[in-house]
Amino acid sequence: MEPGRARYKRVADDLRAAIRRGEYGPGDRLPSQPQLAERYGLTQGMIGRAMAILAAEGLIRLEFGRGAFVLEAPRVSRHRVIDRDYVSQPGSSSFAVEQERGGHVTKAPLVREPEAVVPPPEVAERLGLGESELTLLRDRRMWVDDAPSQIATSYIPMTYAGGADLALPDAGPSVIYGRLAERGFGPVRFTEDIEVRGATQDEARFLRIASGEPVFEIIRTAIDAEGRQVEVCVNILPALRTRLTYGWRQDR
Amino acid sequence: MEPGRARYKRVADDLRAAIRRGEYGPGDRLPSQPQLAERYGLTQGMIGRAMAILAAEGLIRLEFGRGAFVLEAPRVSRHRVIDRDYVSQPGSSSFAVEQERGGHVTKAPLVREPEAVVPPPEVAERLGLGESELTLLRDRRMWVDDAPSQIATSYIPMTYAGGADLALPDAGPSVIYGRLAERGFGPVRFTEDIEVRGATQDEARFLRIASGEPVFEIIRTAIDAEGRQVEVCVNILPALRTRLTYGWRQDR
DNA sequence: TAGTGGTCTAGACCACTGC
DNA sequence: CAGTGGTCTAGACCACTAA
């Protein structure tokens, strides 16, 4: 073990290596904190700190009164197949479709009624809106097989949102995009910006992860044929349990 | 402050909110741990724990003997513009090109001479190789403006690697792909799988982040016109300091 | 040197689980 | 009930920074 490094960190390194070596497999229980305290010559508190590190990395789950368990961490995939040979319709690569292909059941109820709001700055900037310009907000919490999967918040400038029919409770992205297309604002170009940050308390509660655990914040901007930004959608997903996939062709 | 929650976590929540409110701006120094200990009625050790949480989330940087500073965290962008109107050559959307466009200087020296190795399982699987089949490994550590930016490890099955000219020290992806194309293995289809996990000690040392801090692990698979997987490249980037961008067209 | 963050102990108590 | 993880203290000492 590397000297000069804090002892509780070396314990974390040691346990991490043991898990990666397969010494403890998925689902296995690690020795209790008092046991490890004796083995490493540290107090229980310091062992607890070491295990908190591994929990933050998504390697183990600490269960109150039960023990520390190695996670199998089956990652949920989220695909964007960006290939004209594969997809022909804007909505067909959506999350729900991708998930249902694998026999999963999804639901995405609206958290509250769609309403007109001033969007946060990073959204307003992408929509090319000035301060205090309004957008139609659609806030959805999405589930797969009764497990929370992601938070999706969509912003559409009121100019393009028009009538109230975009405010339908069950409309997914494909429906929304279809409605926009009917009005001549059909999106044809997309940009996704992906960042990672710590989860807020609210996000953590819904996604059933620890507050501060890394989440993906994916901001998708939809642009129509005239170059107008017609929608921005912010997706929050648990980063340690998600695999994002992007595929594309690039002929000479 | 929410009751029932650990007090040091509530301190972290409180400070996080203050930073997000702008009460402490980028570059500002937070009060010292003894000062905060008195304010919140906790010991210095507990305040230190609270601050470690914020540091792990990438909100502040703890500097030994100096203090705790709010990070501006300018994210480095990494673009994949997947749009035939934008890119015409496979290599032109590469990381180095994208960075140099902004007046930045990049270098990507080989860590060691290219050599034949048995790839790790997640790579072998993507290449469709059996156990103990060999690949040419190219291991590079990349820099932008004298700051470490990413680790890139490329695997090419020996069948496609052929002669030793792929082992040139300075060859970037565009050169590599060009060589493959000359032999009839030019990649035309790409898949990128994106996951987030804690940094290993080795990765953390090079990227100058804390061990266990979240990193992107991006695995790109390059496929030629015949559907052969000709290369897999594993990229490691600091997730809290990086923005990934993907863009594409999707006409009806 | 004084002030900062970082580590560690010995011991305490709590809340939760499962027998 | 015993065993588990989680929190917290009071105090100590260390390593580093800046004046």
Side-chain angles (χ1 to χ4, degrees):
Chain A
M1 292 205 268
E2 179 189 350
R5 186 166 169 79
R7 286 164 67 194
Y8 76 92
K9 286 182 179 170
R10 279 185 277 163
V11 170
D13 295 341
D14 206 40
L15 293 173
R16 189 190 297 112
I19 292 169
R20 293 228 166 107
R21 271 199 310 272
E23 204 162 308
Y24 302 103
D28 285 1
R29 211 193 81 176
L30 295 183
S32 76
Q33 292 185 2
Q35 282 169 346
L36 290 173
E38 189 171 7
R39 179 193 302 180
Y40 288 104
L42 281 171
T43 58
Q44 181 235 340
M46 286 297 110
I47 299 293
R49 250 183 117 156
M51 298 190 113
I53 292 176
L54 301 183
E57 293 174 15
L59 274 177
I60 64 175
R61 182 177 51 227
L62 298 171
E63 293 188 27
F64 225 120
R66 303 219 319 128
F69 299 87
V70 178
L71 281 174
E72 51 243 277
R75 303 228 177 194
V76 171
S77 286
R78 177 180 178 282
H79 293 272
R80 285 265 172 266
V81 180
I82 309 157
D83 189 329
R84 299 185 194 191
D85 298 348
Y86 280 74
V87 284
S88 55
Q89 292 169 33
S92 68
S93 68
S94 78
F95 182 74
V97 171
E98 185 57 45
Q99 289 294 327
E100 280 170 5
R101 218 172 268 159
H104 295 284
V105 180
T106 68
K107 56 178 186 226
L110 278 170
V111 175
R112 55 179 185 273
E113 285 299 300
E115 52 179 331
V117 299
V118 175
E122 71 270 19
V123 170
E125 190 190 339
R126 284 173 172 82
L127 287 172
L129 294 181
E131 270 187 56
S132 78
E133 284 194 81
L134 290 175
T135 55
L136 181 71
L137 176 145
R138 297 173 49 84
D139 198 355
R140 289 179 304 153
R141 308 258 154 149
M142 303 170 72
W143 304 74
V144 177
D145 294 340
D146 293 314
S149 72
Q150 65 166 320
I151 299 169
T153 314
S154 165
Y155 301 85
I156 301 174
M158 294 311 285
T159 323
Y160 310 128
D165 54 340
L166 277 186
L168 291 172
D170 290 334
S174 54
V175 175
I176 297 286
Y177 290 167
R179 292 282 157 80
L180 284 170
E182 287 167 17
R183 302 208 182 97
F185 306 128
V188 296
R189 219 168 82 214
F190 299 87
T191 299
E192 286 193 351
D193 290 323
I194 305 170
E195 295 190 3
V196 170
R197 57 167 176 78
T200 66
Q201 283 177 260
D202 182 52
E203 292 161 352
R205 195 163 18 227
F206 172 71
L207 295 172
R208 294 187 198 154
I209 59 177
S211 168
E213 190 176 307
V215 291
F216 284 119
E217 178 176 297
I218 304 177
I219 307 188
R220 184 179 65 249
T221 308
I223 300 165
D224 77 357
E226 313 301 322
R228 291 176 289 229
Q229 298 97 327
V230 294
E231 190 227 10
V232 162
C233 187
V234 181
N235 288 340
I236 309 293
L237 300 97
L240 299 176
R241 302 184 196 175
T242 305
R243 169 186 292 165
L244 305 178
T245 297
Y246 291 82
W248 69 96
R249 296 195 81 88
Q250 200 168 71
D251 302 293
R252 277 178 187 272
Chain B
M1 289 204 274
E2 179 187 350
R5 186 164 168 83
R7 286 163 69 193
Y8 76 93
K9 286 182 180 170
R10 280 185 277 164
V11 170
D13 294 341
D14 205 40
L15 294 172
R16 190 190 297 113
I19 291 169
R20 294 228 166 108
R21 272 199 309 272
E23 204 162 308
Y24 302 102
D28 286 1
R29 211 192 83 176
L30 296 184
S32 76
Q33 292 185 2
Q35 281 169 346
L36 290 172
E38 190 171 6
R39 179 193 301 181
Y40 288 104
L42 283 171
T43 59
Q44 182 234 340
M46 287 297 111
I47 299 293
R49 250 183 117 155
M51 299 190 113
I53 292 175
L54 301 183
E57 293 174 15
L59 273 177
I60 64 175
R61 181 177 51 225
L62 298 171
E63 293 190 27
F64 225 122
R66 303 221 317 128
F69 299 87
V70 177
L71 280 174
E72 51 243 277
R75 303 230 177 192
V76 171
S77 285
R78 175 179 180 283
H79 292 273
R80 285 265 173 267
V81 181
I82 309 156
D83 188 329
R84 298 185 193 191
D85 297 348
Y86 279 74
V87 285
S88 55
Q89 291 169 31
S92 68
S93 67
S94 77
F95 182 75
V97 172
E98 186 56 45
Q99 287 295 325
E100 280 169 5
R101 220 172 266 159
H104 295 284
V105 181
T106 68
K107 56 183 187 222
L110 279 170
V111 176
R112 56 178 186 271
E113 285 299 301
E115 52 179 329
V117 300
V118 175
E122 70 271 19
V123 171
E125 188 190 339
R126 284 173 172 82
L127 287 171
L129 295 181
E131 269 187 58
S132 78
E133 284 194 80
L134 290 175
T135 55
L136 180 72
L137 176 145
R138 298 173 48 84
D139 198 356
R140 289 179 303 153
R141 308 259 154 148
M142 303 170 72
W143 304 74
V144 177
D145 295 339
D146 293 315
S149 73
Q150 66 166 318
I151 300 169
T153 314
S154 164
Y155 301 86
I156 301 174
M158 293 312 286
T159 323
Y160 309 128
D165 56 340
L166 276 186
L168 291 172
D170 290 335
S174 56
V175 175
I176 297 287
Y177 289 166
R179 291 282 157 80
L180 284 171
E182 287 167 16
R183 302 209 183 97
F185 306 127
V188 296
R189 218 169 81 215
F190 299 88
T191 298
E192 287 193 349
D193 289 323
I194 304 169
E195 295 191 3
V196 170
R197 57 168 175 78
T200 66
Q201 283 177 261
D202 183 52
E203 292 161 353
R205 195 165 17 223
F206 171 72
L207 295 173
R208 294 189 198 151
I209 59 176
S211 169
E213 191 177 305
V215 291
F216 283 120
E217 177 174 297
I218 304 177
I219 307 188
R220 185 179 63 249
T221 307
I223 300 165
D224 77 357
E226 314 301 321
R228 291 176 289 228
Q229 298 96 327
V230 293
E231 190 227 11
V232 162
C233 186
V234 181
N235 287 341
I236 308 294
L237 300 98
L240 298 176
R241 303 184 194 175
T242 304
R243 169 187 291 165
L244 305 178
T245 298
Y246 291 82
W248 69 94
R249 295 194 81 88
Q250 199 168 73
D251 301 293
R252 278 180 186 270

